Amino acid sequence: MKSISISPRPIIPLLLPQLEHRYKISRLNHRLPLLHLDSAGGSLLLMASLNNHNHNHNHHFRHADSTASLPSSAVAKISHLKAVVLGDAPASEEDDVVLPSHEFSRQALVPSQQKYLEMYKASIENPAGFWSGIASSEFYWKQGWGDQVYSENLDVRRGNIKIEWFKGGITNVCYNCLDRNIDAGLADKIALYWESNEPGFDATLTYSQLLQRVCQLANYLKSVGVRKGDDVVVYLPMLMELPITMLACTRIGAVHSVVFAGFSSESLAQRIVDCKPKVVITCNAVKRGPKTIFLKDIVDAALIDSANKGISVDVCLTYENQLALKREKTKWKEGRDIWWEDVVPKYPTSCDVEWVDAEDPLFLLYTSGSTGKPKGVLHTTGGYMVYTATTFKYAFDYKDSDVYWCTADCGWITGHSYVTYGPMLNGATILLYEGAPNYPDPGRCWDIVDKYKVTIFYTAPTLVRSLMRDGDEYVTRYSRKSLRVLGSVGEPINPSAWRWFFNVVGGSRCPISDTWWQTETGGFMITPLPGAWPQKPGSATFPFFGVQPVIVDEKGVELDGECSGYLCVKSSWPGAFRTLYGDHERYETTYFKPFPGYYFTGDGCSRDKDGYHWLTGRVDDVINVSGHRIGTAEVESALVSHPQCAEAAVVGVEHQVKGQGIYAFVTPVEGISYSEELRKSLILTVRTQIGAFAAPDKIHWAPALPKTRSGKIMRRILRKIAARQLDELGDTSTLADPGVVDQLIKLADT
């Protein structure tokens, strides 16, 4: 028999001292290895018969190998988990964990639990030393930051919330993404592959070519008056011009605000009015599957709207996306609108770098909140650069030979951190895909994977579930042998989708980095490290270096061991956002006042007896639809703007594909009847004001809403009705009119 030595149950010093048991893995149907406690050495041995494995090599998964560091009661507590080894067999519902293989761990950047624990402990006990060591050794700084690496106050009781990292250090993110890599010999390495919506159309840029394109746009922006600290609003689809624009702004110290090119003109105008940009950059149109979306028309309407509110923009730089729409068919305003192709290529291909302080603004990204107004999340330069690059490197076990594809749009934080900045800071080759993932058929993703030999594939559970529903045959017709690491982002991935992703897409040989993080955190907070941890399908596992997650109850008391509650973080990390643009009070109220001394994530979380973290979704009035955070107040505001809607209340419900769907209870104005025409009109109103992704999945007619005597809507009851959990409605006696509940139940299927 062969022996696979793996870790005792995870013990994380300083953070999870309550985890006091080990696990034991038993054989399943005589095909899985047997893990047993070695009482002499205190380690766990995984025994596998050679007859059960089609290989002759000796697995060895190293670990923290002594019981000396464990509480005395640890040896006595053993939980039974079934497991499968990476690459040996598919993961089934009976399998509790997926173990890294010896081959993968041997080549991994973090090859064992012991190495993770060493690095994690160093990052918690000495964060200044840990992060300054990475920052100084792996990035270029024009000037160092002096003796103080960071300063922080996360407790509103002690004054204003303040987070600073590497303040006084002078650097530039674009320089570190491009010039530094070129100087390191990567000038001719492919930086960007671009795949069109239409099969057969593609393009590439090397790092040197990308730098030239970035410099040309940077020089143009300077010529129209964009200076350090000025804002530029970007409303572009996934063309190469999108990361080019982001990097060009960064090069000259301008602050970019990328708006997802799916938001409506009203939403775009709202962001323009808030940040007051010098320039808006867009393209005339984009093809999304068979559909043409006229982006320039949306921008035109937004600019009219913002001008009516007192904010005028003098320059609208427009890229001609010829595969979607010819310029002669594009609406145009002389004096304001300028074709990208007519001006940008005329500028020099070199541009001086604007060196900035580590705490100078890098970008502004709006995210939905629990009130109607989106929040302008502000990230600064130095800490974000260091944290994003480091999380990318370790969470994906990045190698120089990797071809990396993240399916996210740069209009969201994932596109900032893990399409553009994180990968480029590591000198990676990145794939951009313009179109729909199921166009012209559900096999398009895997066709692209094979075409470019993609090794790291990072996507959202929504896409996984959608492709899963389309059937295995669209996956298995393609090789996918290049894939090495898979990733999940945007929302918790349910275990069945995790297993399908692992078994079918990854062929049971690719670990899944199931990442938890937020727009506000800048980068991964809780994530598996491929090669280090046994994975539980659906669990984000353990914290990244420097991150101290805690689970608290309603009173803010930290909970130990196996528990569920509110997920908070104590102490800062380099990638943390610094404020909400123009509204620091809202920043403090939203994130730091609920539980003083902690950053409150707004998410619920469970921790199991093995210390693994399981995210349970939003606990505030924000719905996570396909990984996009949508404030219920935003949708409600759009609905009640309809002249025939008197009142609306929106809740989230489970959705088979999206994760969460939008469920709207609507009360029409007096005298207006329920009708299919009104239903469609209400949905269209939301699509117009916010965007198609925010359209309600269900309109539930409501003659009235359940309210307390003080007038507060009882959303707890609405959530139960929406989920058809009618036996869990709880006490309704406090309602001003309890009979409303019965009325809503009767109208559930109307």
Side-chain angles (χ1 to χ4, degrees), residues 5 55 87 102 140 175 237 243 319 329 363 424 462 497 499 508 534 564 611 628 644 662 676 707 734:
S5 176
H55 46 74
H102 167 65
Y140 177 80
Y175 184 90
Y319 182 79
K329 294 184 178 180
F363 65 83
M424 284 191 188
T462 300
R499 292 185 187 94
S508 306
S564 294
H628 303 155
Q644 295 180 325
I662 298 175
E676 184 62 23
K707 298 179 181 179
T734 58

Short mmCIF file of all heavy atoms in Angstrom, two decimals, residues 5 55 87 102 140 175 237 243 319 329 363 424 462 497 499 508 534 564 611 628 644 662 676 707 734:
data_model
loop_
_atom_site.label_atom_id
_atom_site.label_comp_id
_atom_site.label_asym_id
_atom_site.label_seq_id
_atom_site.Cartn_x
_atom_site.Cartn_y
_atom_site.Cartn_z
N SER A 5 0.62 11.19 3.33
CA SER A 5 0.62 11.90 4.60
C SER A 5 0.03 13.27 4.39
O SER A 5 0.51 14.04 3.59
CB SER A 5 2.06 12.04 5.10
OG SER A 5 2.10 12.80 6.28
N HIS A 55 -1.67 4.89 -11.24
CA HIS A 55 -0.36 5.53 -11.30
C HIS A 55 0.54 4.83 -10.30
O HIS A 55 0.10 4.15 -9.39
CB HIS A 55 -0.45 7.03 -10.99
CG HIS A 55 -1.29 7.33 -9.80
ND1 HIS A 55 -0.87 7.07 -8.52
CD2 HIS A 55 -2.53 7.87 -9.70
CE1 HIS A 55 -1.79 7.45 -7.66
NE2 HIS A 55 -2.82 7.92 -8.34
N GLY A 87 -7.46 14.54 -9.27
CA GLY A 87 -6.99 13.79 -10.42
C GLY A 87 -7.26 12.30 -10.37
O GLY A 87 -7.08 11.61 -11.37
N HIS A 102 -0.14 15.02 -4.97
CA HIS A 102 1.28 15.26 -4.71
C HIS A 102 1.88 16.10 -5.82
O HIS A 102 2.65 17.04 -5.56
CB HIS A 102 2.02 13.94 -4.59
CG HIS A 102 3.51 14.08 -4.63
ND1 HIS A 102 4.22 14.74 -3.64
CD2 HIS A 102 4.44 13.67 -5.55
CE1 HIS A 102 5.52 14.72 -3.95
NE2 HIS A 102 5.66 14.08 -5.09
N TYR A 140 8.12 48.46 -8.12
CA TYR A 140 9.02 49.60 -8.24
C TYR A 140 8.44 50.80 -7.51
O TYR A 140 7.27 51.15 -7.70
CB TYR A 140 9.24 49.97 -9.71
CG TYR A 140 10.11 51.20 -9.85
CD1 TYR A 140 11.50 51.11 -9.74
CD2 TYR A 140 9.54 52.46 -10.06
CE1 TYR A 140 12.30 52.24 -9.85
CE2 TYR A 140 10.33 53.59 -10.16
CZ TYR A 140 11.71 53.48 -10.05
OH TYR A 140 12.49 54.60 -10.15
N TYR A 175 3.12 51.95 -14.49
CA TYR A 175 4.55 51.65 -14.65
C TYR A 175 4.85 50.24 -14.17
O TYR A 175 5.59 49.49 -14.82
CB TYR A 175 5.39 52.66 -13.87
CG TYR A 175 6.88 52.46 -14.05
CD1 TYR A 175 7.56 53.12 -15.07
CD2 TYR A 175 7.60 51.60 -13.22
CE1 TYR A 175 8.93 52.93 -15.26
CE2 TYR A 175 8.95 51.40 -13.39
CZ TYR A 175 9.61 52.07 -14.41
OH TYR A 175 10.96 51.86 -14.60
N PRO A 237 -17.37 48.31 -23.53
CA PRO A 237 -17.49 46.85 -23.39
C PRO A 237 -16.11 46.22 -23.32
O PRO A 237 -15.09 46.92 -23.25
CB PRO A 237 -18.24 46.46 -24.67
CG PRO A 237 -17.75 47.46 -25.68
CD PRO A 237 -17.56 48.75 -24.92
N PRO A 243 -9.07 48.00 -20.91
CA PRO A 243 -7.88 48.06 -20.04
C PRO A 243 -6.87 49.09 -20.50
O PRO A 243 -6.16 49.67 -19.66
CB PRO A 243 -7.31 46.63 -20.12
CG PRO A 243 -7.94 46.01 -21.31
CD PRO A 243 -9.27 46.66 -21.48
N TYR A 319 -14.93 55.14 -29.52
CA TYR A 319 -14.23 54.15 -30.33
C TYR A 319 -15.22 53.53 -31.31
O TYR A 319 -16.34 53.17 -30.95
CB TYR A 319 -13.65 53.06 -29.43
CG TYR A 319 -12.86 52.01 -30.18
CD1 TYR A 319 -11.56 52.25 -30.59
CD2 TYR A 319 -13.44 50.78 -30.48
CE1 TYR A 319 -10.84 51.30 -31.29
CE2 TYR A 319 -12.73 49.81 -31.17
CZ TYR A 319 -11.43 50.07 -31.58
OH TYR A 319 -10.73 49.12 -32.27
N LYS A 329 -23.42 55.33 -39.24
CA LYS A 329 -24.74 55.07 -38.65
C LYS A 329 -24.81 55.49 -37.18
O LYS A 329 -25.82 55.25 -36.52
CB LYS A 329 -25.08 53.58 -38.77
CG LYS A 329 -25.26 53.12 -40.22
CD LYS A 329 -25.68 51.66 -40.27
CE LYS A 329 -25.91 51.21 -41.71
NZ LYS A 329 -26.32 49.78 -41.78
N PHE A 363 -8.79 54.61 -8.47
CA PHE A 363 -10.04 54.54 -9.23
C PHE A 363 -11.24 54.66 -8.32
O PHE A 363 -11.15 54.49 -7.10
CB PHE A 363 -10.12 53.25 -10.06
CG PHE A 363 -10.21 51.97 -9.27
CD1 PHE A 363 -11.42 51.51 -8.77
CD2 PHE A 363 -9.07 51.21 -9.04
CE1 PHE A 363 -11.51 50.32 -8.05
CE2 PHE A 363 -9.14 50.02 -8.32
CZ PHE A 363 -10.37 49.58 -7.83
N MET A 424 -1.71 41.80 -14.69
CA MET A 424 -0.63 42.54 -15.35
C MET A 424 0.52 42.86 -14.41
O MET A 424 1.68 42.91 -14.83
CB MET A 424 -1.17 43.82 -15.98
CG MET A 424 -1.93 43.58 -17.26
SD MET A 424 -2.28 45.10 -18.15
CE MET A 424 -3.37 44.45 -19.43
N THR A 462 -23.07 31.83 -11.48
CA THR A 462 -24.20 31.98 -12.40
C THR A 462 -23.90 31.33 -13.74
O THR A 462 -24.73 30.61 -14.30
CB THR A 462 -24.52 33.48 -12.61
OG1 THR A 462 -24.86 34.05 -11.36
CG2 THR A 462 -25.67 33.64 -13.57
N ALA A 497 -23.12 22.65 -8.02
CA ALA A 497 -22.47 23.36 -9.12
C ALA A 497 -20.96 23.25 -8.99
O ALA A 497 -20.25 23.13 -10.00
CB ALA A 497 -22.91 24.83 -9.13
N ARG A 499 -19.27 20.75 -7.76
CA ARG A 499 -18.87 19.41 -8.21
C ARG A 499 -18.93 19.30 -9.72
O ARG A 499 -18.06 18.68 -10.34
CB ARG A 499 -19.74 18.34 -7.55
CG ARG A 499 -19.53 18.21 -6.05
CD ARG A 499 -20.31 17.05 -5.47
NE ARG A 499 -20.23 17.04 -4.02
CZ ARG A 499 -21.13 17.61 -3.21
NH1 ARG A 499 -22.21 18.20 -3.75
NH2 ARG A 499 -20.98 17.59 -1.91
N SER A 508 -11.89 16.66 -13.00
CA SER A 508 -11.52 16.18 -11.66
C SER A 508 -10.04 16.38 -11.34
O SER A 508 -9.52 15.76 -10.41
CB SER A 508 -11.88 14.69 -11.49
OG SER A 508 -13.23 14.46 -11.79
N PRO A 534 -7.11 20.96 1.73
CA PRO A 534 -8.22 20.13 1.25
C PRO A 534 -9.43 21.04 1.06
O PRO A 534 -9.69 21.92 1.87
CB PRO A 534 -8.45 19.15 2.40
CG PRO A 534 -7.17 19.14 3.18
CD PRO A 534 -6.62 20.52 3.05
N SER A 564 -22.67 30.47 13.36
CA SER A 564 -23.17 31.29 12.26
C SER A 564 -23.44 32.69 12.80
O SER A 564 -23.83 32.86 13.95
CB SER A 564 -24.47 30.71 11.69
OG SER A 564 -24.24 29.47 11.07
N GLY A 611 -13.40 24.50 10.86
CA GLY A 611 -12.87 25.84 10.68
C GLY A 611 -13.07 26.43 9.30
O GLY A 611 -12.63 27.54 9.02
N HIS A 628 -23.74 40.39 -9.25
CA HIS A 628 -23.89 41.85 -9.26
C HIS A 628 -24.71 42.28 -8.05
O HIS A 628 -25.83 41.82 -7.87
CB HIS A 628 -24.57 42.31 -10.54
CG HIS A 628 -23.87 41.89 -11.79
ND1 HIS A 628 -24.51 41.74 -13.00
CD2 HIS A 628 -22.58 41.55 -12.01
CE1 HIS A 628 -23.65 41.35 -13.92
NE2 HIS A 628 -22.47 41.22 -13.34
N GLN A 644 -48.24 54.34 -12.42
CA GLN A 644 -49.32 53.49 -11.95
C GLN A 644 -48.91 52.62 -10.76
O GLN A 644 -49.65 51.71 -10.38
CB GLN A 644 -49.84 52.61 -13.09
CG GLN A 644 -50.50 53.43 -14.21
CD GLN A 644 -51.02 52.56 -15.34
OE1 GLN A 644 -50.43 51.54 -15.68
NE2 GLN A 644 -52.15 52.96 -15.91
N ILE A 662 -34.71 38.73 -8.25
CA ILE A 662 -35.39 39.91 -7.70
C ILE A 662 -36.89 39.67 -7.71
O ILE A 662 -37.49 39.42 -8.76
CB ILE A 662 -35.03 41.16 -8.52
CG1 ILE A 662 -33.52 41.42 -8.44
CG2 ILE A 662 -35.81 42.37 -8.04
CD1 ILE A 662 -33.06 42.57 -9.30
N GLU A 676 -51.17 42.04 -17.35
CA GLU A 676 -49.90 41.65 -17.94
C GLU A 676 -49.21 42.86 -18.56
O GLU A 676 -47.97 42.99 -18.53
CB GLU A 676 -50.11 40.56 -18.99
CG GLU A 676 -48.82 40.01 -19.60
CD GLU A 676 -47.93 39.35 -18.55
OE1 GLU A 676 -48.45 38.93 -17.49
OE2 GLU A 676 -46.72 39.25 -18.80
N LYS A 707 -47.26 45.82 7.19
CA LYS A 707 -46.54 46.87 7.91
C LYS A 707 -46.86 46.81 9.40
O LYS A 707 -47.94 46.38 9.81
CB LYS A 707 -46.94 48.25 7.36
CG LYS A 707 -46.59 48.47 5.90
CD LYS A 707 -47.05 49.86 5.45
CE LYS A 707 -46.74 50.09 3.98
NZ LYS A 707 -47.21 51.42 3.52
N THR A 734 -48.17 41.64 15.23
CA THR A 734 -47.73 43.03 15.37
C THR A 734 -48.04 43.87 14.15
O THR A 734 -47.79 45.08 14.14
CB THR A 734 -46.21 43.08 15.63
OG1 THR A 734 -45.53 42.44 14.54
CG2 THR A 734 -45.85 42.37 16.93
#
